[in-house]
Amino acid sequence: MKPIRLWMINEEIRSCPLVPLKEGFNLRPWQIGDTQVWAEIITQAGEASHLQAALTRFRAEFSGLEQLLQSRCLILQTRDGQPVGTAMGWLNKEFGDGTYGRLHWVSIIPEYQGLGLARPLVTHAIERMKSDHTKAYLKTQTTSYKGIKLYLDYGFRPFMQSEDCLEGWEIVSRVLKQDLI
């Protein structure tokens, strides 16, 4: 599948229901010192080519924002405290009119994918945005069509941010057998 960057928006996140976590898992806020934990999750989930790339990305994007991360970044972990996923209900002042939050860095390590953990992780991250935003956006790609299906279920819709988006949404529409554009 041709990888094409896609954008999605949700014009009303307040109606997004909170999905409870499965037994044996919990969510905790990002803590000072969790940079390595976050980078390991992102790398294992395939969002970074190697650990150093994830650490570099984290520092570039979030350096100096550690206090904000504690209220906006979630770490999904097992009952035993093993981190297995992450998501952010991030603040945003750059997209649209500045009123959109951003669903950001949703990742679960492969051994824990397909266990019904993504829905609660996503809805809890959206919940983090609700105090400051009524709308949200996210960036994804055609190869993340399983995630796109989940985002659609929670009110996100395709947003044409670039000329490539039309081709990308046509690809995802065919894969999901759903008219998205």
Side-chain angles (χ1 to χ4, degrees):
M1 173 181 301
K2 181 178 179 181
I4 298 173
R5 168 79 54 200
L6 299 172
W7 294 59
M8 299 181 81
I9 58 172
N10 181 330
E11 297 288 345
E12 180 48 67
I13 62 172
R14 290 177 295 193
S15 63
C16 181
L18 196 58
V19 176
L21 274 169
K22 290 186 170 243
E23 182 78 26
F25 295 90
N26 62 66
L27 290 167
R28 66 167 176 82
W30 185 91
Q31 302 165 358
I32 300 297
D34 272 345
T35 301
Q36 182 83 17
V37 168
W38 181 90
E40 288 172 359
I41 293 167
I42 296 302
T43 303
Q44 289 178 49
E47 297 294 329
S49 57
H50 52 83
L51 185 60
Q52 191 56 48
L55 288 167
T56 299
R57 178 68 187 262
F58 184 90
R59 288 183 192 111
E61 195 167 345
F62 303 111
S63 181
L65 300 174
E66 290 79 9
Q67 292 299 117
L68 191 53
L69 283 163
Q70 291 178 61
S71 65
R72 294 298 177 150
C73 181
L74 297 170
I75 302 293
L76 171 66
Q77 60 186 18
T78 64
R79 177 182 293 131
D80 299 330
Q82 177 191 357
V84 298
T86 186
M88 295 182 190
W90 200 242
L91 295 168
N92 177 73
K93 302 291 183 215
E94 298 168 359
F95 180 80
D97 59 6
T99 62
Y100 288 79
R102 182 176 182 186
L103 183 58
H104 199 21
W105 289 112
V106 177
S107 295
I108 298 175
I109 64 174
E111 305 90 272
Y112 290 89
Q113 293 175 5
L115 301 179
L117 299 171
R119 287 182 186 279
L121 181 59
V122 164
T123 62
H124 280 79
I126 291 170
E127 193 70 21
R128 296 285 171 132
M129 285 187 273
K130 288 180 181 179
S131 63
D132 297 298
H133 301 283
T134 58
K135 303 180 270 189
Y137 82 102
L138 62 86
K139 295 179 186 180
T140 188
Q141 56 276 335
T142 51
T143 54
S144 296
Y145 57 88
K146 290 179 183 177
I148 290 171
K149 172 65 174 116
L150 182 144
Y151 304 140
L152 289 166
D153 290 347
Y154 289 101
F156 285 86
R157 297 293 172 248
F159 181 73
M160 299 301 173
Q161 182 68 7
S162 69
E163 290 184 24
D164 288 348
C165 284
L166 181 58
E167 178 185 3
W169 286 116
E170 288 171 348
I171 291 169
V172 174
S173 291
R174 284 193 302 273
V175 170
L176 295 180
K177 297 180 172 83
Q178 206 172 339
D179 185 21
L180 300 175
I181 49 175

